[in-house]
Amino acid sequence: MCGIVGYNGNLDAKEILLKGLEKLEYRGYDSAGIAVHNEEGITIFKEKGRIADLRTTVDSEVEAHIGIGHTRWATHGVPNRLNAHPHQSASGRFTLVHNGVIENYHLLQKAYLKGIPMQSDTDTEVIVQLVDLFSKEGLSTVEAFRKTLRLVHGSYALALLDHEDAETIYVAKNKSPLLVGVGDTFNVVASDAMAMLQVTDQFIELHDKEVVIVKKDSVEISTLDGRVVERKPFKAELDASDIEKGTYPHYMLKEMDEQPSVVRKIIQQYEQQEELAIDEDILQAITEADRIYIIAAGTSYHAGLVGKEYFEKMAGIPVEVHISSEFGYNMPILSEKPLFIFISQSGETADSRQVLVKITEMGHPTLTVTNVAGSTLSRESDYTLLLHAGPEIAVASTKAYVAQVAVLAIAAYVTGKARGVALDFDMKQELGLAANAIQSIVDAKDVMEEIAEDYLKIARNAFFIGRNIDFCVALEGALKLKEISYIQAEGFAGGELKHGTIALIEEGTPVFALVTQEQVALNIRGNVKEVVARGANACIIAMEGLEEDGDTLIIPRVHPLLTPLVSVVPLQLISYYAALHRRCDVDKPRNLAKSVTVE
Ligand code: F6R
């Protein structure tokens, strides 16, 4: 989703901003721009399309040491040059980049900006025009900025330049992520530390409704009412090499390959005295709950569905799983002692965060399972379990899903043990075996490539079916395929197809069927027969021990509860190769953003 960078120092601002924006490309965007400030004034370069397109428009002759930049993922107004950020006020004095959504921009425009011609269709432009208006009324820039922010409803991360002050970037945030990075002779702004690791690993976290004055040698944080806030920087625990592709053609391929080591790392991270363990406070919070409510979106929601199986089967705690964007309107009647678990790779998903805010106001305990320490969801919930998957750059989530499932398995297992549930297996050992099984699948990429070719080369649509825990994985398999290859794909509970959707099966329709659960193996094979009888091209992925002649792929045997860790991997790889065949931009699928920071 949108990304912001800013630089104030002694080096070439253009290059640092462009490099920073390149590091944010993975979040998804459709236009980009930078504004730099020197003695001649503020110069804006912006373009629809990729940073590479923007680079071609940037005049190398312009020298500047301060500037702001932005990647835009269109919300208000189509993706074009005009709507790309930065935006400038009508007088040309103020220049602004913005992430988030200003909900009352129409009202503000009507109330304050009648007669001021708008250059774009964006909500953002209202902010920069208001700052200009209030400064014309005699307020200082920071006061005009604060006055504007007091009027604005919605989410924002903002960086503002003032033509009359070539030494300052004004920054503010509410609900959208933003960090200030600090250095000896410079300071920077970034919506994600990754963007500015090129110059610093020291960052200051900003809280909602704070305003920051970023000079090259100082950073002053204050609240909207002007109270100064002191906050120390933290070290971003990111290795610049973690965010490089190395020799891989795509991040997605690299990240799928990392999955065995991610599972092994998780085992290590959650091991204490040779036993799996989670923080005592977290364990207590889970064991005290009479019901768990899992809140998540997309792939993380699919991991949550698996998590429900784990907490119910291993810990004996009832679980509900909810799509975060729906929960606000459809809040169920809560139990007496609920625990809310938020699952989010990025820890920034606005849909999940709005639920967290509501639940925190209601006073219920909250736990976030995330890949990003220090992310908004992690900071704002009572407890955090980290995924330790390393940065996930490809828009399509792969290793984070596997990490989510593994961490949920550990949390449920440890809770079950603490509650005295008889669990007759060693989770640590079983996870180790699952890591080996994943390894054997990622080592057999040629097989997945062939399956993609055989089943999906000319497909218009595809179905993924499974029963029980395989159904959860079928949903994830379908999401992976559609998001990166644009083949219409649906995941179904095997028994459900015949209640309507089987009407869509015709000669050659690909149907991927998962057979990893012994108690439903015959039933799902029955569903396969139903679709094959109607012409489907069935790809059966069965677990060792449950295979039959003619199955397409046999995956190694693992504990029945841990099959999602393994069976998802061929589906990820098949989707990847299907997308490659169609020459899709695997790492940056159209219309998608990595971190969805608007509701
Ligand atoms: C799909 C995908 C998305 C995310 C969803 C939630 O591959 O990555 O469906 O899972 O946008 O994001 P997080 O997990 O960051 O909350």
Side-chain angles (χ1 to χ4, degrees), residues 144-222:
F145 196 31
R146 283 202 184 105
K147 180 165 178 183
T148 303
L149 298 178
R150 283 194 286 267
L151 293 173
V152 155
H153 295 164
S155 55
Y156 54 78
L158 301 165
L160 175 82
L161 293 178
D162 176 357
H163 176 82
E164 292 179 12
D165 171 6
E167 298 192 342
T168 310
I169 306 176
Y170 297 88
V171 167
K173 84 153 227 119
N174 186 44
K175 297 194 203 168
S176 295
L178 197 62
L179 297 166
V180 169
V182 294
D184 290 340
T185 54
F186 64 87
N187 290 305
V188 294
V189 181
S191 42
D192 184 327
M194 270 185 215
M196 283 298 162
L197 271 187
Q198 53 170 323
V199 288
T200 185
D201 61 2
Q202 299 293 315
F203 290 88
I204 303 175
E205 166 194 310
L206 304 182
H207 293 181
D208 284 352
K209 303 202 172 161
E210 287 181 340
V211 170
V212 195
I213 297 178
V214 180
K215 307 245 184 212
K216 76 175 181 186
D217 49 11
S218 68
V219 172
E220 186 189 301
I221 309 174
S222 58

Coordinates of all heavy atoms in Angstrom, one line a residue, residues 144-222:
A144 N -0.5 25.8 11.7 CA -1.5 25.6 10.6 C -1.6 24.1 10.4 O -2.7 23.6 10.1 CB -1.0 26.3 9.3
F145 N -0.5 23.4 10.5 CA -0.6 21.9 10.3 C -1.4 21.3 11.4 O -2.3 20.5 11.2 CB 0.9 21.4 10.4 CG 1.1 20.0 9.9 CD1 0.4 19.5 8.9 CD2 2.2 19.3 10.4 CE1 0.7 18.2 8.4 CE2 2.5 18.0 10.0 CZ 1.7 17.4 9.0
R146 N -1.2 21.7 12.7 CA -1.9 21.2 13.8 C -3.4 21.5 13.7 O -4.3 20.6 13.9 CB -1.4 21.8 15.1 CG -0.1 21.2 15.6 CD 0.0 21.4 17.1 NE 1.3 20.9 17.5 CZ 2.4 21.6 17.8 NH1 2.3 22.9 17.8 NH2 3.5 21.1 18.2
K147 N -3.7 22.7 13.3 CA -5.1 23.1 13.2 C -5.8 22.2 12.1 O -6.9 21.7 12.3 CB -5.2 24.6 12.8 CG -6.7 25.1 12.6 CD -6.8 26.5 12.6 CE -8.3 26.9 12.3 NZ -8.5 28.3 12.2
T148 N -5.1 22.0 11.0 CA -5.7 21.1 10.0 C -5.9 19.7 10.5 O -7.0 19.1 10.3 CB -4.7 21.0 8.8 OG1 -4.4 22.3 8.3 CG2 -5.2 20.2 7.7
L149 N -4.9 19.2 11.3 CA -5.1 17.8 11.7 C -6.2 17.7 12.8 O -6.8 16.6 12.9 CB -3.7 17.3 12.4 CG -2.6 17.3 11.4 CD1 -1.3 16.9 12.0 CD2 -2.9 16.4 10.2
R150 N -6.5 18.8 13.5 CA -7.6 18.7 14.4 C -8.9 18.6 13.7 O -9.9 18.1 14.2 CB -7.5 19.9 15.4 CG -6.5 19.8 16.5 CD -6.7 20.8 17.6 NE -6.3 22.1 17.2 CZ -5.1 22.7 17.4 NH1 -4.2 22.0 18.0 NH2 -4.8 23.9 16.9
L151 N -9.0 19.1 12.5 CA -10.2 19.0 11.7 C -10.4 17.7 10.9 O -11.5 17.4 10.6 CB -10.2 20.2 10.7 CG -10.3 21.6 11.2 CD1 -10.1 22.6 10.1 CD2 -11.6 21.8 11.9
V152 N -9.3 17.0 10.7 CA -9.4 15.9 9.8 C -9.8 14.6 10.5 O -9.4 14.4 11.7 CB -7.9 15.7 9.3 CG1 -7.7 14.3 8.9 CG2 -7.6 16.6 8.2
H153 N -10.7 13.9 9.9 CA -11.1 12.5 10.4 C -10.6 11.5 9.5 O -10.8 11.6 8.3 CB -12.6 12.4 10.5 CG -13.3 13.3 11.4 ND1 -14.6 13.6 11.4 CD2 -12.8 14.1 12.4 CE1 -14.9 14.5 12.3 NE2 -13.8 14.8 13.0
G154 N -10.0 10.5 10.1 CA -9.5 9.4 9.2 C -8.1 9.0 9.6 O -7.6 9.3 10.7
S155 N -7.4 8.3 8.6 CA -6.1 7.8 8.9 C -5.1 8.6 8.1 O -5.4 9.0 6.9 CB -6.0 6.3 8.5 OG -6.4 6.1 7.2
Y156 N -4.0 8.9 8.6 CA -2.9 9.6 7.9 C -1.5 9.3 8.4 O -1.3 9.1 9.6 CB -3.2 11.1 7.8 CG -3.3 11.7 9.2 CD1 -2.2 12.0 10.0 CD2 -4.6 12.1 9.7 CE1 -2.3 12.6 11.2 CE2 -4.7 12.7 11.0 CZ -3.6 12.9 11.7 OH -3.7 13.5 13.0
A157 N -0.6 9.3 7.5 CA 0.8 9.5 7.7 C 1.2 10.6 6.8 O 0.9 10.4 5.6 CB 1.6 8.2 7.5
L158 N 1.8 11.6 7.2 CA 2.0 12.8 6.4 C 3.4 13.3 6.5 O 4.1 13.3 7.6 CB 1.1 13.9 6.9 CG -0.4 13.7 6.9 CD1 -1.1 14.8 7.7 CD2 -0.9 13.7 5.5
A159 N 3.9 13.8 5.4 CA 5.2 14.5 5.4 C 5.0 15.8 4.5 O 4.5 15.7 3.4 CB 6.3 13.7 4.8
L160 N 5.4 16.9 5.1 CA 5.0 18.2 4.5 C 6.3 19.1 4.3 O 7.1 19.1 5.2 CB 4.1 18.9 5.4 CG 3.6 20.3 5.1 CD1 2.5 20.3 4.0 CD2 3.1 21.1 6.3
L161 N 6.4 19.7 3.1 CA 7.5 20.7 2.9 C 6.9 22.1 2.8 O 5.8 22.2 2.2 CB 8.2 20.4 1.6 CG 9.1 19.1 1.5 CD1 9.7 18.9 0.1 CD2 10.1 19.0 2.6
D162 N 7.6 23.0 3.3 CA 7.2 24.5 3.2 C 8.2 25.2 2.4 O 9.4 25.3 2.7 CB 7.2 25.0 4.7 CG 6.8 26.5 4.7 OD1 6.7 27.1 3.6 OD2 6.7 27.0 5.8
H163 N 7.7 25.8 1.3 CA 8.6 26.5 0.4 C 9.5 27.6 1.1 O 10.6 27.9 0.7 CB 7.7 27.2 -0.7 CG 8.4 28.1 -1.6 ND1 9.0 27.5 -2.7 CD2 8.6 29.4 -1.7 CE1 9.6 28.5 -3.4 NE2 9.4 29.7 -2.8
E164 N 8.9 28.1 2.2 CA 9.6 29.2 2.9 C 10.5 28.7 4.0 O 11.1 29.5 4.7 CB 8.5 30.2 3.5 CG 7.8 30.9 2.3 CD 6.8 31.9 2.8 OE1 6.7 32.2 4.0 OE2 6.0 32.3 1.9
D165 N 10.7 27.4 4.1 CA 11.6 26.9 5.1 C 12.3 25.6 4.5 O 11.7 24.6 4.5 CB 10.8 26.5 6.3 CG 11.6 25.8 7.4 OD1 12.8 25.6 7.2 OD2 11.0 25.4 8.4
A166 N 13.5 25.8 4.0 CA 14.2 24.7 3.3 C 14.9 23.8 4.3 O 15.7 23.0 3.9 CB 15.2 25.3 2.3
E167 N 14.6 23.9 5.6 CA 15.4 23.1 6.6 C 14.5 22.1 7.3 O 15.0 21.3 8.1 CB 16.0 24.0 7.6 CG 16.9 25.0 6.9 CD 17.8 25.7 7.8 OE1 17.5 25.8 9.0 OE2 18.8 26.2 7.3
T168 N 13.2 22.1 7.0 CA 12.3 21.3 7.8 C 11.4 20.4 7.0 O 10.9 20.8 6.0 CB 11.4 22.2 8.7 OG1 12.3 23.2 9.3 CG2 10.6 21.5 9.7
I169 N 11.2 19.1 7.6 CA 10.1 18.3 7.1 C 9.1 18.2 8.3 O 9.5 17.9 9.4 CB 10.5 16.9 6.7 CG1 11.7 16.9 5.7 CG2 9.3 16.1 6.2 CD1 12.2 15.5 5.3
Y170 N 7.8 18.5 8.0 CA 6.8 18.4 9.0 C 6.1 17.0 8.8 O 5.7 16.7 7.7 CB 5.8 19.5 8.9 CG 6.4 20.9 9.2 CD1 7.0 21.6 8.1 CD2 6.4 21.4 10.4 CE1 7.5 22.8 8.3 CE2 7.0 22.7 10.6 CZ 7.6 23.4 9.6 OH 8.1 24.6 9.8
V171 N 6.0 16.3 10.0 CA 5.5 15.0 9.9 C 4.4 14.8 10.9 O 4.4 15.4 11.9 CB 6.7 14.0 10.2 CG1 6.2 12.6 10.4 CG2 7.7 14.1 9.1
A172 N 3.4 13.9 10.5 CA 2.3 13.6 11.5 C 1.8 12.2 11.2 O 1.9 11.8 10.0 CB 1.2 14.6 11.5
K173 N 1.2 11.6 12.2 CA 0.5 10.3 11.9 C -0.7 10.1 12.7 O -0.8 10.5 13.8 CB 1.5 9.2 12.0 CG 1.7 8.6 13.3 CD 2.1 7.1 13.3 CE 1.3 6.3 14.2 NZ 0.5 5.3 13.7
N174 N -1.6 9.3 12.2 CA -2.8 8.8 12.9 C -3.2 7.5 12.2 O -3.6 7.5 11.0 CB -3.9 9.8 12.9 CG -5.1 9.3 13.8 OD1 -4.9 8.9 14.9 ND2 -6.3 9.5 13.3
K175 N -3.1 6.4 12.9 CA -3.6 5.1 12.4 C -2.7 4.5 11.3 O -2.7 3.3 11.1 CB -5.0 5.1 12.0 CG -6.0 5.4 13.0 CD -7.4 5.0 12.6 CE -8.5 5.8 13.3 NZ -9.8 5.6 12.6
S176 N -2.0 5.3 10.5 CA -1.2 4.8 9.5 C 0.3 4.7 10.0 O 0.7 5.7 10.7 CB -1.2 5.6 8.2 OG -2.5 5.6 7.7
P177 N 1.0 3.7 9.6 CA 2.4 3.6 10.2 C 3.4 4.7 9.7 O 3.3 5.1 8.5 CB 2.9 2.2 9.7 CG 2.0 1.8 8.6 CD 0.7 2.6 8.8
L178 N 4.2 5.2 10.6 CA 5.3 6.1 10.2 C 6.4 6.1 11.2 O 6.1 6.1 12.4 CB 4.7 7.5 10.0 CG 5.5 8.5 9.2 CD1 5.7 8.0 7.8 CD2 4.9 9.9 9.2
L179 N 7.6 6.2 10.8 CA 8.7 6.2 11.7 C 9.6 7.3 11.3 O 9.7 7.7 10.1 CB 9.6 4.9 11.5 CG 8.9 3.6 11.9 CD1 9.7 2.4 11.3 CD2 8.7 3.4 13.4
V180 N 10.4 7.8 12.3 CA 11.4 8.8 12.0 C 12.8 8.1 12.3 O 12.9 7.5 13.3 CB 11.3 10.1 12.9 CG1 12.5 10.9 12.8 CG2 10.0 10.8 12.5
G181 N 13.6 8.1 11.3 CA 14.9 7.5 11.4 C 16.0 8.5 11.8 O 15.9 9.7 11.3
V182 N 16.9 8.2 12.7 CA 17.9 9.2 13.1 C 19.3 8.8 12.7 O 19.7 7.7 12.7 CB 17.8 9.5 14.6 CG1 16.4 10.1 14.9 CG2 17.9 8.2 15.4
G183 N 20.1 9.8 12.4 CA 21.5 9.7 12.1 C 22.3 10.8 12.7 O 21.7 11.7 13.3
D184 N 23.6 10.8 12.5 CA 24.5 11.8 13.1 C 24.3 13.2 12.4 O 24.3 14.2 13.1 CB 25.9 11.5 13.0 CG 26.2 10.3 14.0 OD1 25.4 10.1 14.9 OD2 27.2 9.6 13.7
T185 N 24.2 13.1 11.1 CA 24.1 14.4 10.4 C 22.9 14.5 9.5 O 22.8 15.3 8.6 CB 25.4 14.5 9.4 OG1 25.4 13.3 8.6 CG2 26.6 14.6 10.2
F186 N 21.9 13.7 9.8 CA 20.7 13.6 9.0 C 19.6 13.0 9.8 O 19.9 12.3 10.8 CB 20.9 12.8 7.7 CG 21.2 11.4 8.0 CD1 20.1 10.5 8.1 CD2 22.5 10.9 8.2 CE1 20.4 9.1 8.4 CE2 22.7 9.6 8.5 CZ 21.7 8.7 8.6
N187 N 18.4 13.2 9.3 CA 17.2 12.5 9.9 C 16.3 12.1 8.7 O 16.3 12.8 7.7 CB 16.5 13.3 10.9 CG 17.3 13.4 12.2 OD1 17.7 12.4 12.8 ND2 17.6 14.7 12.6
V188 N 15.6 11.0 8.9 CA 14.8 10.5 7.8 C 13.4 10.2 8.2 O 13.1 10.1 9.4 CB 15.4 9.3 7.1 CG1 16.7 9.6 6.4 CG2 15.6 8.2 8.1
V189 N 12.5 10.0 7.3 CA 11.1 9.6 7.6 C 10.8 8.4 6.7 O 11.3 8.3 5.6 CB 10.2 10.7 7.2 CG1 8.7 10.3 7.5 CG2 10.5 12.0 7.8
A190 N 10.1 7.4 7.3 CA 9.7 6.2 6.5 C 8.5 5.5 7.0 O 8.4 5.4 8.2 CB 10.9 5.2 6.5
S191 N 7.7 5.0 6.1 CA 6.5 4.3 6.6 C 6.9 2.9 7.0 O 6.2 2.1 7.6 CB 5.4 4.3 5.6 OG 5.8 4.1 4.3
D192 N 8.2 2.5 6.6 CA 8.6 1.1 6.9 C 10.2 1.3 7.0 O 10.8 1.8 6.1 CB 8.2 0.3 5.7 CG 8.6 -1.2 5.9 OD1 9.6 -1.5 6.6 OD2 7.8 -2.0 5.4
A193 N 10.7 0.7 8.1 CA 12.1 0.9 8.4 C 13.0 0.4 7.2 O 14.0 1.0 6.9 CB 12.5 0.1 9.6
M194 N 12.5 -0.6 6.5 CA 13.2 -1.1 5.3 C 13.7 -0.1 4.3 O 14.7 -0.1 3.8 CB 12.3 -2.1 4.6 CG 12.4 -3.5 5.0 SD 11.4 -4.5 3.9 CE 10.8 -5.6 5.1
A195 N 12.8 1.0 4.2 CA 13.1 2.0 3.2 C 14.3 2.8 3.5 O 15.0 3.3 2.6 CB 11.9 2.9 3.1
M196 N 14.6 2.9 4.8 CA 15.7 3.8 5.2 C 16.9 3.0 5.8 O 17.8 3.7 6.3 CB 15.2 4.9 6.1 CG 14.5 6.0 5.3 SD 15.7 6.8 4.1 CE 14.5 7.5 2.9
L197 N 16.9 1.7 5.8 CA 18.0 0.9 6.3 C 19.3 1.3 5.5 O 20.4 1.1 6.0 CB 17.7 -0.6 6.1 CG 17.0 -1.3 7.2 CD1 17.0 -2.8 6.9 CD2 17.6 -1.1 8.6
Q198 N 19.1 1.8 4.4 CA 20.2 2.3 3.5 C 21.1 3.3 4.3 O 22.2 3.5 4.0 CB 19.7 2.8 2.2 CG 18.7 3.9 2.4 CD 18.4 4.6 1.1 OE1 19.2 4.9 0.3 NE2 17.1 5.0 0.9
V199 N 20.5 4.1 5.2 CA 21.2 5.1 5.9 C 21.3 4.9 7.4 O 22.2 5.4 8.1 CB 20.8 6.5 5.6 CG1 21.2 6.9 4.1 CG2 19.3 6.7 5.8
T200 N 20.3 4.3 8.0 CA 20.3 4.1 9.5 C 19.5 2.9 9.9 O 18.6 2.4 9.2 CB 19.6 5.3 10.1 OG1 19.7 5.2 11.6 CG2 18.2 5.5 9.8
D201 N 19.8 2.4 11.1 CA 19.0 1.3 11.7 C 18.3 1.8 13.0 O 17.8 1.0 13.7 CB 19.7 0.0 11.9 CG 20.9 0.2 12.8 OD1 21.1 1.3 13.4 OD2 21.6 -0.8 13.0
Q202 N 18.5 3.1 13.2 CA 17.9 3.7 14.5 C 16.6 4.4 14.1 O 16.6 5.4 13.3 CB 18.9 4.7 15.1 CG 20.2 4.1 15.5 CD 20.0 3.1 16.6 OE1 19.3 3.3 17.6 NE2 20.7 1.9 16.5
F203 N 15.5 4.0 14.7 CA 14.2 4.6 14.4 C 13.5 5.0 15.6 O 13.6 4.4 16.7 CB 13.4 3.7 13.6 CG 13.9 3.4 12.2 CD1 14.9 2.4 12.0 CD2 13.5 4.2 11.1 CE1 15.4 2.2 10.7 CE2 14.0 4.1 9.9 CZ 15.0 3.1 9.6
I204 N 12.7 6.1 15.5 CA 11.8 6.5 16.6 C 10.4 6.2 16.2 O 9.9 6.6 15.1 CB 11.9 8.0 16.9 CG1 13.4 8.4 17.2 CG2 11.0 8.4 18.1 CD1 13.6 9.9 17.4
E205 N 9.7 5.5 17.1 CA 8.3 5.2 16.8 C 7.4 6.4 17.1 O 7.7 7.2 18.0 CB 8.0 4.1 17.8 CG 6.7 3.7 18.1 CD 6.7 2.8 19.4 OE1 7.5 1.8 19.5 OE2 5.8 3.1 20.2
L206 N 6.4 6.6 16.2 CA 5.5 7.8 16.4 C 4.2 7.2 16.9 O 3.7 6.2 16.4 CB 5.4 8.6 15.1 CG 6.6 9.1 14.5 CD1 6.3 9.9 13.3 CD2 7.4 9.9 15.5
H207 N 3.5 8.0 17.7 CA 2.2 7.6 18.2 C 1.1 8.4 17.4 O 1.5 9.5 16.8 CB 2.0 7.8 19.7 CG 2.9 6.9 20.5 ND1 2.9 6.9 21.8 CD2 3.8 6.0 20.1 CE1 3.8 6.0 22.2 NE2 4.3 5.4 21.2
D208 N -0.1 7.9 17.5 CA -1.2 8.6 16.8 C -1.3 10.0 17.3 O -1.1 10.3 18.5 CB -2.5 7.9 17.0 CG -2.5 6.6 16.1 OD1 -1.6 6.4 15.3 OD2 -3.5 5.8 16.2
K209 N -1.6 10.9 16.3 CA -1.9 12.3 16.6 C -0.7 13.0 17.2 O -0.8 13.9 18.1 CB -3.1 12.5 17.5 CG -4.3 11.9 16.9 CD -5.6 12.4 17.4 CE -6.7 11.8 16.5 NZ -8.0 11.8 17.0
E210 N 0.5 12.6 16.8 CA 1.7 13.4 17.1 C 2.2 14.1 15.8 O 2.0 13.6 14.7 CB 2.8 12.4 17.6 CG 2.5 11.9 19.0 CD 3.6 11.0 19.5 OE1 4.4 10.4 18.8 OE2 3.6 10.8 20.8
V211 N 2.9 15.2 16.1 CA 3.4 16.0 15.0 C 4.9 16.1 15.3 O 5.4 16.2 16.4 CB 2.8 17.5 15.1 CG1 3.6 18.4 14.1 CG2 1.3 17.4 14.7
V212 N 5.7 16.0 14.2 CA 7.2 15.9 14.4 C 7.8 17.0 13.5 O 7.5 17.1 12.3 CB 7.7 14.5 14.0 CG1 9.2 14.4 14.6 CG2 6.9 13.4 14.6
I213 N 8.7 17.7 14.0 CA 9.5 18.6 13.2 C 10.9 18.0 13.0 O 11.7 17.8 13.9 CB 9.6 20.0 13.9 CG1 8.2 20.6 14.1 CG2 10.6 20.9 13.2 CD1 8.2 21.9 14.8
V214 N 11.1 17.6 11.7 CA 12.4 16.9 11.4 C 13.3 17.8 10.7 O 13.1 18.3 9.6 CB 12.0 15.7 10.5 CG1 13.3 14.9 10.1 CG2 11.0 14.8 11.1
K215 N 14.4 18.2 11.5 CA 15.5 19.0 10.9 C 16.6 18.0 10.6 O 16.6 16.9 11.1 CB 15.9 20.1 11.9 CG 14.8 20.9 12.4 CD 14.9 22.3 11.9 CE 13.9 23.2 12.5 NZ 13.5 24.3 11.6
K216 N 17.7 18.5 10.0 CA 18.8 17.5 9.8 C 19.5 17.1 11.0 O 20.1 16.1 11.1 CB 19.7 18.0 8.6 CG 20.7 19.0 9.0 CD 21.6 19.2 7.8 CE 22.6 20.3 8.1 NZ 23.4 20.6 7.0
D217 N 19.5 18.0 12.0 CA 20.2 17.7 13.3 C 19.3 17.6 14.5 O 19.7 17.6 15.6 CB 21.3 18.8 13.5 CG 20.8 20.2 13.4 OD1 19.5 20.3 13.3 OD2 21.6 21.1 13.3
S218 N 18.0 17.6 14.3 CA 17.1 17.4 15.5 C 15.7 16.9 15.1 O 15.3 17.0 13.9 CB 16.9 18.8 16.2 OG 16.1 19.6 15.3
V219 N 15.1 16.2 16.0 CA 13.8 15.7 15.8 C 12.9 16.1 17.0 O 13.3 15.8 18.1 CB 13.8 14.2 15.7 CG1 12.4 13.6 15.7 CG2 14.6 13.7 14.5
E220 N 11.9 16.9 16.8 CA 11.0 17.3 17.9 C 9.6 16.8 17.7 O 8.9 17.1 16.8 CB 11.0 18.8 18.0 CG 10.3 19.3 19.3 CD 10.1 20.8 19.3 OE1 11.0 21.5 19.2 OE2 8.9 21.2 19.4
I221 N 9.3 15.9 18.7 CA 7.9 15.3 18.7 C 7.0 16.1 19.6 O 7.4 16.4 20.7 CB 7.9 13.8 19.1 CG1 9.0 13.1 18.4 CG2 6.6 13.2 19.0 CD1 9.2 11.6 18.8
S222 N 5.8 16.3 19.2 CA 4.8 17.0 20.1 C 3.4 16.5 19.8 O 3.2 15.9 18.7 CB 4.9 18.5 20.0 OG 4.6 18.8 18.6

